[in-house]
Amino acid sequence: MGSPTLISEHPCFGGVQRFYKHDSTEVRGPMKFSAFIPPQARNGKVPVLYYLSGLTCTEETFPIKSHAQQAAAELGLMLIAPDTSPREPRLPGDADSWDFGFSAGFYVDATVAPWSQYYRMYSYVTRELPELVTANLAARADAGGIFGHSMGGHGALVCALRNPERYKSVSAFAPIAAPMQCPWGKKAFTNYLGSDVNSWREYDATELVARRPFAGPILIDQGTGDQFLAEQLLPEKFKAAAAKSGQRLNLRMQLAYDHGYYFIQTFMTDHLRHHAEQLG
C-alpha cells in the first residue's frame, strides 16, 4: 500500500489541515485527499469521518468551504475528504459535460468501458482509502462515519447502507436520494453501469434502504429553496422507502436554503455532533 505523500499542511483550530497524494490501486492512477487532524490525535487515535463531495468538486472543496474544522476540533473528529473522480489518465470525452466523467465519479464502480478501467470510486472510498487512512494516520478503525453533499450525499448513503460493518454513522446534505429516478442518476448509471437497470439498484439509496435499514439514525438536511430539489434530489422517495423498512430518519426541510455551501455551513455542526454521538 505504501504511505501517502504530504502535499501541504496548515495549522487549524489547534489541529492541522493536510492535503495528500498517493498512487491508487483501485483507480489505477494518482488520487488526492484532504485530512483534518484534530488536536486530540496527538494523544491517541480518534474517530474518523469521511466526507464525499458533489459534482464539480475536488478534495479541496470541503476543507475550504464547509467551515467544519472548528467543531471537529472540539469534538475530536478526524475529517477525510477524497477527490470526486480519477484525474489521470484522461479519457476521451471525460470533460464534455459537468455532470458526468471528470469531477463526477458518482461513487460507483463502473462496469462499462472505458470508464470501468479507472472509475472505481465505490471501492476506493469503502476499501482503499479507509485502509490507507487507518494505516498512516491516527484514525480509529472501529469508529468511522460517512457523510456528503448532493452526489456525495448519494455516495455516503449508499456506502453506509451497503457496509454497515464499516460505518457506524451516516448523514447527508441535499443528497441525490433516488438516482434511478432522476436525470443526473440515469445519465451517470447508463454510462458507468450500462443498460441493466438491476445493477443500478446497488447504487440507489432509496432502493437499498427499502431492503435493509441502517442500524443507526440517518440525518438528512435539505433546503426548500434548492433549485435541484424537485427534479434531481427526490428526498420524499427516500423518506417513503425508509418508512417501509423502519429506518430511523431525521429529514429536515430547511426553509429557503439553496444547494450551496452557505447551506452546508449553517448545519455542519449539527451533522458533526450527530456523528460524534454515534461514534462515541
Side-chain angles (χ1 to χ4, degrees):
M1 179 188 295
S3 301
T5 301
L6 182 65
I7 299 171
S8 66
E9 64 177 354
H10 316 272
C12 187
F13 291 106
V16 61
Q17 179 65 56
R18 294 176 180 164
F19 295 89
Y20 287 100
K21 185 175 186 177
H22 73 104
D23 291 322
S24 166
T25 55
E26 285 294 349
V27 307
R28 300 191 177 113
M31 283 294 290
K32 292 179 180 179
F33 67 93
S34 65
F36 174 70
I37 317 295
Q40 294 86 342
R42 286 195 289 269
N43 301 315
K45 294 187 176 184
V46 296
V48 56
L49 186 52
Y50 294 87
Y51 179 89
L52 306 184
S53 294
L55 293 163
T56 75
C57 294
T58 72
E59 76 287 348
E60 294 185 325
T61 308
F62 173 74
I64 292 172
K65 290 186 172 184
S66 70
H67 296 192
Q69 291 94 335
Q70 183 172 9
E74 292 168 2
L75 294 166
L77 293 172
M78 183 182 295
L79 303 175
I80 303 292
D83 202 352
T84 50
S85 77
R87 299 287 165 174
E88 53 183 282
R90 297 297 298 271
L91 296 174
D94 62 5
D96 285 356
S97 57
W98 67 276
D99 57 358
F100 175 78
F102 208 59
S103 304
F106 262 84
Y107 307 103
V108 304
D109 284 349
T111 55
V112 174
W115 313 102
S116 54
Q117 195 170 357
Y118 306 108
Y119 278 64
R120 296 183 49 79
M121 290 300 294
Y122 173 78
S123 288
Y124 176 75
V125 165
T126 58
R127 288 205 294 269
E128 185 175 8
L129 183 60
E131 289 170 8
L132 188 75
V133 166
T134 52
N136 291 280
L137 301 175
R140 285 175 54 190
D142 65 332
I146 192 164
F147 67 151
H149 169 235
S150 194
M151 175 183 74
H154 138 75
L157 292 170
V158 167
C159 289
L161 287 163
R162 287 180 58 175
N163 299 273
E165 73 291 340
R166 181 174 289 283
Y167 303 106
K168 302 292 189 286
S169 62
V170 62
S171 73
F173 298 94
I176 304 173
M180 291 177 68
Q181 302 181 57
C182 77
W184 279 342
K186 289 175 183 176
K187 178 177 180 176
F189 288 1
T190 299
N191 286 303
Y192 287 136
L193 305 174
S195 58
D196 177 14
V197 175
N198 275 326
S199 68
W200 299 8
R201 300 185 194 282
E202 294 304 306
Y203 295 106
D204 186 303
T206 294
E207 295 280 331
L208 293 169
V209 79
R211 255 188 264 162
R212 185 178 68 176
F214 186 71
I218 295 176
L219 171 62
I220 295 176
D221 274 309
Q222 172 63 62
T224 63
D226 190 319
Q227 65 269 42
F228 303 115
L229 175 57
E231 185 182 20
Q232 302 282 10
L233 304 178
L234 312 178
E236 70 282 357
K237 306 280 189 188
F238 185 81
K239 182 178 181 179
K244 276 186 189 173
S245 67
Q247 173 67 56
R248 285 181 288 161
L249 172 65
N250 186 9
L251 171 60
R252 307 194 303 185
M253 302 301 295
Q254 303 291 1
L255 186 64
Y257 282 91
D258 62 22
H259 198 67
Y261 267 81
Y262 297 114
F263 156 64
I264 292 171
Q265 290 170 17
T266 304
F267 303 105
M268 177 56 66
T269 298
D270 288 354
H271 282 248
L272 295 181
R273 286 180 181 144
H274 164 84
H275 288 277
E277 287 173 12
Q278 306 303 313
L279 297 174

